[in-house]
Amino acid sequence: MWITWIGCFIVGSSFSLVMPFLPLYIQHLGVTGSAATFYSGIAFASSALASGLVAPFWGKLADEYGRKPMMVRASFAMSLTMGFIAISPLFGKMGVFWLIGLRLLMGFFSGFIPNATAMIASQAPKDKSGYALGLLSTAMVTGTLIGPSAGGLMAQWFGMSNVFIIVGVLLFVDAVLTVFLVHENFEPIAKKDMLSTKEVINQVSNKHVLVGLMITCFILQISSQSIEPFVTLYIKTLSSSTNNLMFISGLIVSAVGLSAMLSASTLGKIGDKYGSHRLILLGLLFSFAVYLPMAFVHTPLQLGLLRFLLGFGTGALMPSVNSLLAKITPKEGVSRIFAYSQMCSNFGVVAGPLIGSAVAGLYSYRLAIIVTSLFVALNFIWSFINFRPFLHQRSIL
């Protein structure tokens, strides 16, 4: 559990480490003006999109050969692709295409975190799965929180290209730790006995619940990512002072992750005790109640406090979603189901900034926040309909 936590922390931080200076790195490759902004957007989205598209393929292999081999495969491959980004300057202005191609490959070979989640979900005692998955989710959140600030400092100290090499080495260490210190109780299934994805889904007793959980994964990422493209500009409209604007924006963006990190394992325990489906409904209702007022704030402090409170809703949702997925899925297909949930999350990572920036650009920042909160409200209504027959039960099984 703890070695897997360290691995998820390294992977989570490795993705966010390079984010603060990636646009500057693209400019360093000779791309300037609006083209630099355009290629930065492609570089940001490409890995998440590729990861989402291939997640079901890796999930099927994980069900056949085990989650640990997929974790090792992902960390070794990401180590190489991240490290080779460092030689992008050798290609001159074509280096940007080298970078984007490697970001695509990184997404294609990713899968450490969903397979780690599936492994812990399949091995943790059923009555402790919410706590275990909540604890594991803090690894990625902590890594994502620390990554941007650490990446900015490392870029100043060692140079931007060298940061990619350092991150590649960290991912290699992750792979070695996984090989030698992570133990999985996996019993291979003969190919003739292997369930197809369709058969796995048919064995899920509550398919409407499964669909609802996938939608929750998607909307959860939309709600957390949609504000990021314009958060600095929105804060600028809330304050007459531009001093420390980037620092304040970073704090406000990170506030969600901080509170989610603090609360996830505790909320996972509560879900184990009182029912993960009930906690999901409370988490969605709370998220809507906190998100909507962000459109009507007057100061950066008010926005920051609301973003911090939003993290408690996020901390309630992901462990509960993963716990329910583990409970309703046959063990022969748990990796594939978690791969599909990761796919939905990644599509949310891509869709969130697109939706937020499109509405903000065409209309206003405040309307973009209102639209995102409506997504959360629709998810609550959908989930309430799905869970209504089980509201008087501690479990949906």
Side-chain angles (χ1 to χ4, degrees), residues 354-372:
L354 291 176
I355 293 170
S357 57
V359 177
L362 291 171
Y363 300 100
S364 69
Y365 306 132
R366 296 185 187 276
L367 183 61
I369 295 173
I370 292 171
V371 168
T372 304

Side-chain angles (χ1 to χ4, degrees), residues 46-47 50 77-78 81 100-110:
S46 57
S47 58
M78 288 190 296
T81 51
I100 291 171
L102 286 171
R103 293 275 301 174
L104 278 168
L105 281 175
M106 191 187 310
F108 180 85
F109 286 108
S110 67

Side-chain angles (χ1 to χ4, degrees), residues 18-91:
V18 301
M19 293 307 170
F21 63 84
L22 194 58
L24 296 176
Y25 190 64
I26 288 174
Q27 290 181 337
H28 176 66
L29 297 176
V31 182
T32 57
S34 60
T37 304
F38 173 72
Y39 285 122
S40 296
I42 293 177
F44 277 125
S46 57
S47 58
L49 183 61
S51 177
L53 290 172
V54 301
F57 169 73
W58 295 125
K60 184 176 181 182
L61 289 182
D63 280 333
E64 190 170 344
Y65 299 106
R67 269 69 70 174
K68 178 178 174 178
M70 295 298 106
M71 293 162 66
V72 173
R73 183 265 311 153
S75 46
F76 269 126
M78 288 190 296
S79 171
L80 291 172
T81 51
M82 185 68 83
F84 277 120
I85 290 177
I87 66 171
S88 298
L90 298 179
F91 299 95

Side-chain angles (χ1 to χ4, degrees), residues 1 116-137 264-273 275-277 279 315-328 334 338 394-395 397:
M1 176 71 197
T117 305
M119 185 179 72
I120 296 301
S122 64
Q123 295 188 185
K126 292 294 183 184
D127 61 338
K128 299 283 176 62
S129 62
Y131 166 71
L133 293 168
L135 185 62
L136 190 65
S137 72
S265 58
T266 301
L267 289 168
K269 282 183 179 179
I270 293 173
D272 287 333
K273 186 173 182 180
S276 297
H277 57 301
L279 193 60
L317 288 167
M318 279 318 300
S320 299
V321 168
N322 289 332
S323 179
L324 278 184
L325 286 174
K327 289 173 181 175
I328 68 174
V334 66
F338 273 98
R394 208 181 93 175
S395 172
L397 299 178

